[in-house]
Structure formats: structure tokens, C-alpha cells
């Protein structure tokens, strides 16, 4: 019996250590000179360090504006150097970069508890957005008449006043920029721009990718509220992916998800396509129970924007 107990504990220890190793075994980083269709950790890390170097970025500060300038410059460079743009100017891909300012107010229930309500007021909060879509995938003048076929990737740029915000959230902003680079470089394959335009067979992919960089997350999620209630592209959003940080280590985990069929379909696609999908929805229940007096922009898109989605964050070394 003693031997059986020892063997059982040995197997448990082996299973736990194997699980820990597999969980933290990340893909090999890709160099900065990788093709633009490949996600390069080196390129993303360089931008994250450049953003972090400006110091703490409270919403509306000079450092916050500097971070937006760096991101804007990267987006414009990606747009201008798109490798598969047609020389004759007859480009079937449309890339728009816009900036907006948001003002408003809303009641925020701290920790999801309706008994603890704060009135959040904000004015002239900046947002920077890029939209990638087929040129013939037109939107009516009244965007509310448009089907919600766009995927939103959201990331806040600001940081708390006592931290340069390398992880929260410069790294996520850099990840979003690198994602834009990858999508733009491989847009014909993703959106079917060439085939759909030339053959007109309706087999090309529709919809758009919208990536929005906002501010004011650290001040009560106010920037996301401005995006959800006043950004002209938000009525086109059908699903959101929020990039966050609650620590500075480990994989970028999916830790919150809205219920529903659309979320289930997206999670299946993500798990099939990702080289190493890592996630759990336990945090959704933790936040809903009010056990942690904190939250992310994911909540705003869900509650005020009525948009389903998932939330990613680094959670180790919190």
C-alpha cells in the first residue's frame, strides 16, 4: 500500500510539472527581419520599448500623446509600404486610419456591484483606429444599417501614473500593431481581394478588421465607453478581442469570454488556428462575482456596446 501511495503521488507530481512546463513553453521568437506576413516578437518588442521609454502615460498626458504618435507613425508606415499594393493604383484593399476625440459620462458599478456606483465623466479622450477591408465592401451612410461584420481588436495605450506601463499596456499595443502589419501584408489571402474583384463569384471574404487604440482605461474604462458609444465605426463591430495585462509574464491568456454561440464559434476558430492557444473563462465568473474590484475594456464593449467578445492578458507575476 505504501508503494502505491508513493507511485500515485509521483504520477500526480509528474502530471503537475508536465502541465506547468507545457503551459509556459512559448513559441520560438521570430527575428525583426522576418517577412511582414509573420508575427515578429522582435518588431513588437522594439515598439513596446519605445512606448515604455516615454515614462508613465496617464490619459491626456504628454507621454500618452507621444505613445499615440509612435503608434500612428507605425500604422502609416505599414499602410504606405504595403507589399502587395498595385502599382497602377487600382488597389482592391481599403485601409483607413482615423483619429477621434470622445467625451461623455456613464455610471460605473465598481467590481460589477450595483450597490457601488460611480459617475464617470470624461472629455476629449483620444482614440486612434485603423480599418482594413475590401474596397467594394461599402458601408451605407447610416452605419447602423450595416450588418455587424467587423472584428474589433481593442487595446488601451495609457498607463497608471506610477508606472511606465511596459506590460500594461505598451506590449499589447505593440502586439496589435504587429497584427496590423501581418494582416495588411497578407490581405489578399485573408480578404480575397484579388479573386473577388476580378471574378465576382461572391466567394471572397467579407467584413473588416478594426483595430482601435484608446486611452483612459486606467481611469475607469472611460476611453472604451467613448469608443463604444461615439466612434463612427463601432456600429459595424460584431465581435471584440481586447488585449490587456494583469501581470508581466507567461503566455497571453484568454481569461474572459462572453457567453453565446458566436463566442463559441470564435473560440473554436482561435483554438484551431493558434499555434498554442491558452485560456480559461474562470476570470469571467470571478469578475462577475465582484471578488476583484477591477475590470477591463472588455466589460464596456459587452455592457454598453452590446458586442460579444473575449479578453486576453498576461497574468503571471501580477
Amino acid at each position: 500500500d505504501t508503494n502505491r501511495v508513493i507511485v500515485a503521488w509521483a504520477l500526480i507530481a509528474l502530471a503537475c510539472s508536465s502541465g506547468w512546463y507545457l503551459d509556459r513553453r512559448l513559441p520560438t521568437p521570430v527575428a525583426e527581419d522576418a517577412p511582414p506576413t509573420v508575427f515578429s516578437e522582435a518588431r513588437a518588442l522594439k515598439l513596446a520599448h519605445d512606448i515604455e521609454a516615454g515614462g508613465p502615460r496617464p490619459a491626456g498626458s504628454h507621454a500618452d500623446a507621444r505613445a499615440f504618435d509612435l503608434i500612428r507613425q507605425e500604422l502609416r508606415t505599414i499602410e504606405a509600404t504595403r507589399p502587395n499594393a498595385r502599382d497602377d493604383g487600382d488597389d482592391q484593399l481599403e485601409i483607413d486610419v482615423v483619429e477621434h476625440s470622445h467625451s461623455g459620462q456613464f455610471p460605473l458599478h465598481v467590481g460589477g456591484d450595483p450597490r457601488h456606483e460611480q459617475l464617470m465623466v470624461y472629455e476629449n479622450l483620444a482614440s486612434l483606429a485603423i480599418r482594413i477591408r475590401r474596397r467594394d465592401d461599402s458601408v451605407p451612410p447610416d452605419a447602423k444599417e450595416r450588418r455587424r461584420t467587423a472584428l474589433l481588436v481593442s487595446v488601451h495605450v495609457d498607463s497608471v501614473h506610477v508606472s511606465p506601463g511596459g506590460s500594461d499596456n505598451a506590449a499589447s499595443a505593440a502586439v496589435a500593431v504587429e497584427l496590423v502589419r501581418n494582416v495588411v501584408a497578407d490581405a489578399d489571402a485573408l480578404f480575397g481581394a484579388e479573386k473577388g474583384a476580378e471574378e465576382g463569384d461572391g466567394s471572397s471574404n467579407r467584413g473588416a478588421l478594426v483595430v482601435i487604440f484608446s486611452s483612459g482605461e486606467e481611469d475607469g474604462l472611460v476611453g472604451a465607453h467613448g469608443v463604444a458609444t461615439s466612434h463612427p465605426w463601432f456600429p459595424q463591430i460584431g465581435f471584440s478581442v481586447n488585449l490587456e495585462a494583469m501581470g508581466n509574464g507567461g503566455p497571453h491568456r484568454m481569461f474572459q469570454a462572453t457567453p453565446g454561440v458566436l463566442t463559441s464559434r470564435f473560440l473554436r476558430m482561435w483554438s484551431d488556428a493558434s499555434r498554442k492557444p491558452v485560456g480559461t473563462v474562470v476570470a469571467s465568473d470571478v469578475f462577475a462575482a465582484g471578488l476583484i474590484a477591477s475590470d477591463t475594456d472588455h466589460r464596456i464593449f459587452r455592457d454598453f456596446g452590446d458586442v460579444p467578445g473575449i479578453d486576453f492578458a498576461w497574468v503571471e507575476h501580477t
Side-chain angles (χ1 to χ4, degrees):
D1 291 340
T2 302
N3 290 336
R4 290 182 179 179
V5 172
I6 293 174
V7 171
W9 278 110
L11 291 174
I12 292 173
L14 178 62
C16 292
S17 59
S18 299
W20 182 89
Y21 170 75
L22 292 173
D23 178 69
R24 285 158 178 77
R25 189 182 63 177
L26 302 176
T28 302
V30 177
E32 188 174 351
D33 59 354
T37 55
V38 177
F39 186 95
S40 167
E41 181 188 84
R43 283 193 296 254
L45 196 59
K46 182 178 183 299
L47 177 58
H49 285 321
D50 289 345
I51 295 174
E52 182 187 29
R57 301 180 301 281
S61 66
H62 289 296
D64 191 41
R66 173 185 174 277
F68 274 100
D69 288 342
L70 290 172
I71 295 169
R72 183 188 307 106
Q73 180 179 349
E74 283 292 320
L75 296 181
R76 291 298 188 188
T77 300
I78 292 170
E79 178 186 17
T81 59
R82 187 165 82 87
N84 49 353
R86 293 186 176 182
D87 295 333
D88 59 5
D90 186 19
D91 194 355
Q92 297 303 313
L93 191 71
E94 185 171 276
I95 302 175
D96 302 302
V97 179
V98 300
E99 299 176 63
H100 285 278
S101 179
H102 307 278
S103 301
Q105 63 181 39
F106 66 101
L108 178 67
H109 297 138
V110 180
D113 188 346
R115 297 171 300 176
H116 299 98
E117 181 177 293
Q118 293 182 356
L119 179 63
M120 311 304 297
V121 181
Y122 57 96
E123 184 176 11
N124 297 329
L125 280 178
S127 73
L128 174 65
I130 182 169
R131 181 177 61 188
I132 308 165
R133 60 173 181 159
R134 283 172 51 100
R135 189 172 296 278
D136 60 356
D137 192 22
S138 60
V139 179
D142 181 1
K144 293 183 179 179
E145 297 178 2
R146 178 72 160 84
R147 288 182 57 199
R148 290 190 166 195
T149 57
L151 170 67
L152 168 66
V153 174
S154 170
V155 55
H156 74 88
V157 177
D158 61 308
S159 74
V160 295
H161 70 283
V162 295
S163 170
S167 176
D168 186 8
N169 204 26
S172 292
V175 166
V177 170
E178 183 65 10
L179 171 66
V180 169
R181 189 190 320 277
N182 302 155
V183 171
V184 169
D186 206 22
D188 287 343
L190 294 172
F191 292 95
E194 298 293 336
K195 182 177 181 179
E198 294 176 1
E199 298 181 12
D201 60 1
S203 62
S204 57
N205 296 322
R206 294 293 179 176
L209 172 67
V210 175
V211 181
I212 298 182
F213 303 85
S214 62
S215 190
E217 191 270 350
E218 302 291 358
D219 296 313
L221 317 178
V222 290
H225 182 269
V227 168
T229 57
S230 62
H231 199 285
W233 291 348
F234 198 83
Q236 305 163 24
I237 303 302
F239 197 84
S240 68
V241 176
N242 187 55
L243 303 182
E244 253 292 356
M246 298 173 64
N248 62 1
H252 220 182
R253 299 180 185 276
M254 189 279 296
F255 74 109
Q256 288 197 91
T258 56
V261 175
L262 188 58
T263 300
S264 297
R265 290 176 57 193
F266 190 93
L267 289 176
R268 282 196 297 269
M269 288 189 293
W270 167 61
S271 63
D272 290 341
S274 175
R275 292 177 57 188
K276 192 177 185 301
V278 179
T280 175
V281 295
V282 173
S284 297
D285 298 326
V286 172
F287 281 116
L291 299 177
I292 300 177
S294 180
D295 222 317
T296 73
D297 289 342
H298 166 81
R299 169 183 170 185
I300 298 297
F301 301 138
R302 178 195 67 197
D303 295 349
F304 290 90
D306 193 27
V307 170
I310 59 178
D311 206 4
F312 285 86
W314 289 284
V315 300
E316 276 79 357
H317 310 148
T318 300

